[in-house]
Amino acid sequence: ACQSAGRSNSKVMENLEKAKQYDLLHQQNNRSRCVKNTTGAQELAAGYTIGKRRLEIFSITTSILLNIVVYIQLAHYWRMSYLPIAILNIVLGMLGADFLSGLVHWGADSWGNVEIPVIGKAFIRPFREHHVDPTAITRHDIIETNGDNCLTTLFPLGVMAVTLHFFPSDIIQTLYPFYIFGVSLMLFVTLTNQIHKWSHTYYGLPAWVELLQDLHIILPKKHHRIHHVAPHETYFCITTGWLNYPLEKLGFWTTVEAIIERLTGIKPRVDDLKWATK
């Protein structure tokens, strides 16, 4: 256990050192909004289709409508006595979103490939593009940035909207803390990729966004740079980044990867490396 912790600390320190060098190039790329002309970057960018765009528009529109319905219903049942437990559940929702962002990010970075039917081009492709061209995300508009995340919230938001409408008021009052956790979780899941985009945007951010980054309420730029040191094997959580250090200390991702590799014989990040060398 001590050796594992030592290796983990050494890896983090090594990545921090490499991240300083990466930052200089990243800032230059971001300032010029340069588009990488590698074969891999161009091929991955071309994988963004009209069908995908339409799905994203549907997801964002539906998510907004469902959020409005849920928030109106929650406001109807609000009591000031809920405030302490509401604050706690909002924070727990942020932690939950941070962990889920890490889990999805780790899964898409480490496993699968762009050729997998349906999910390959739709969901794994953006992760490959991001490592080949990290500044590409800063050129994505609000729809391309947030569409996928909105899609993942539709079912939970739908369940909340239906139960808030049909459940008796006494049951809703009992479940109210769970609803607060749910809306917090869904809100920060929705915002995760926007927050991620801000962590790659070095110029022109609103002052309030930079303040939230400086306070580490959302993912800070310097914190996220650690992930972008090849081979992109650490600091996967990209909502707040709060869980990155404890998960790294625990060796969480490397342990899960070792188990999967032992059971399946498949090594992590093989496809990611393939695109990086195109």
Side-chain angles (χ1 to χ4, degrees):
C2 291
Q3 288 179 344
S4 177
R7 286 194 298 270
S8 177
N9 285 335
S10 174
K11 184 169 68 174
V12 170
M13 293 305 296
E14 181 184 348
N15 284 345
L16 279 168
E17 207 47 47
K18 290 179 180 177
K20 292 177 182 178
Q21 301 170 12
Y22 163 85
D23 185 39
L24 296 175
L25 178 61
H26 191 153
Q27 290 190 51
Q28 292 168 2
N29 288 348
N30 202 282
R31 184 187 292 274
S32 63
R33 286 291 197 271
C34 70
V35 180
K36 289 203 174 182
N37 291 318
T38 64
T39 302
Q42 291 176 336
E43 185 177 341
L44 287 165
Y48 184 64
T49 64
I50 293 296
K52 179 72 159 56
R53 179 79 172 183
R54 289 171 179 165
L55 177 62
E56 290 169 346
I57 292 171
F58 166 80
S59 300
I60 292 172
T61 304
T62 309
S63 178
I64 290 171
L65 293 174
L66 286 172
N67 271 288
I68 291 171
V69 170
V70 169
Y71 278 91
I72 289 173
Q73 291 172 316
L74 285 175
H76 174 73
Y77 290 100
W78 172 256
R79 304 287 184 272
M80 281 304 296
S81 59
Y82 293 153
L83 185 59
I85 194 70
I87 293 172
L88 173 62
N89 279 282
I90 287 169
V91 174
L92 290 175
M94 294 171 73
L95 283 168
D98 199 41
F99 179 75
L100 288 176
S101 76
L103 188 64
V104 172
H105 190 183
W106 165 79
D109 273 7
S110 305
W111 312 102
N113 58 70
V114 178
E115 287 73 36
I116 294 176
V118 183
I119 66 169
K121 287 186 177 179
F123 300 108
I124 294 177
R125 179 199 61 81
F127 289 87
R128 299 293 178 269
E129 180 188 14
H130 184 56
H131 285 172
V132 173
D133 182 4
T135 60
I137 192 173
T138 65
R139 301 186 294 275
H140 294 171
D141 65 8
I142 191 170
I143 294 172
E144 188 174 358
T145 299
N146 297 293
D148 286 344
N149 288 59
C150 286
L151 178 63
T152 66
T153 68
L154 298 187
F155 179 74
L157 286 171
V159 170
M160 283 191 280
V162 170
T163 55
L164 282 165
H165 181 76
F166 288 106
F167 278 8
S169 60
D170 57 331
I171 294 179
I172 292 174
Q173 299 287 356
T174 302
L175 295 176
Y176 203 89
F178 297 98
Y179 284 115
I180 295 295
F181 170 79
V183 295
S184 174
L185 179 64
M186 291 304 100
L187 173 64
F188 283 95
V189 166
T190 299
L191 293 175
T192 288
N193 214 35
Q194 184 64 56
I195 292 170
H196 181 206
K197 177 179 177 177
W198 287 334
S199 76
H200 284 277
T201 305
Y202 282 78
Y203 304 97
L205 280 178
W208 62 270
V209 172
E210 294 194 334
L211 176 62
L212 291 176
Q213 289 177 335
D214 291 341
L215 295 174
H216 205 155
I217 295 173
I218 62 175
L219 184 70
K221 299 179 185 71
K222 289 183 179 179
H223 183 93
H224 184 52
R225 286 200 300 267
I226 297 171
H227 171 72
H228 276 275
V229 176
H232 310 99
E233 60 184 358
T234 187
Y235 275 45
F236 292 100
C237 300
I238 54 173
T239 305
T240 63
W242 295 346
L243 293 177
N244 280 321
Y245 184 72
L247 289 174
E248 185 63 32
K249 288 286 287 183
L250 291 170
F252 180 80
W253 304 116
T254 52
T255 300
V256 178
E257 286 172 6
I259 293 170
I260 292 174
E261 185 174 350
R262 187 162 188 173
L263 291 174
T264 66
I266 301 172
K267 294 182 178 293
R269 289 173 291 280
V270 173
D271 188 63
D272 194 53
L273 180 61
K274 180 190 81 173
W275 285 101
T277 55
K278 275 199 174 188

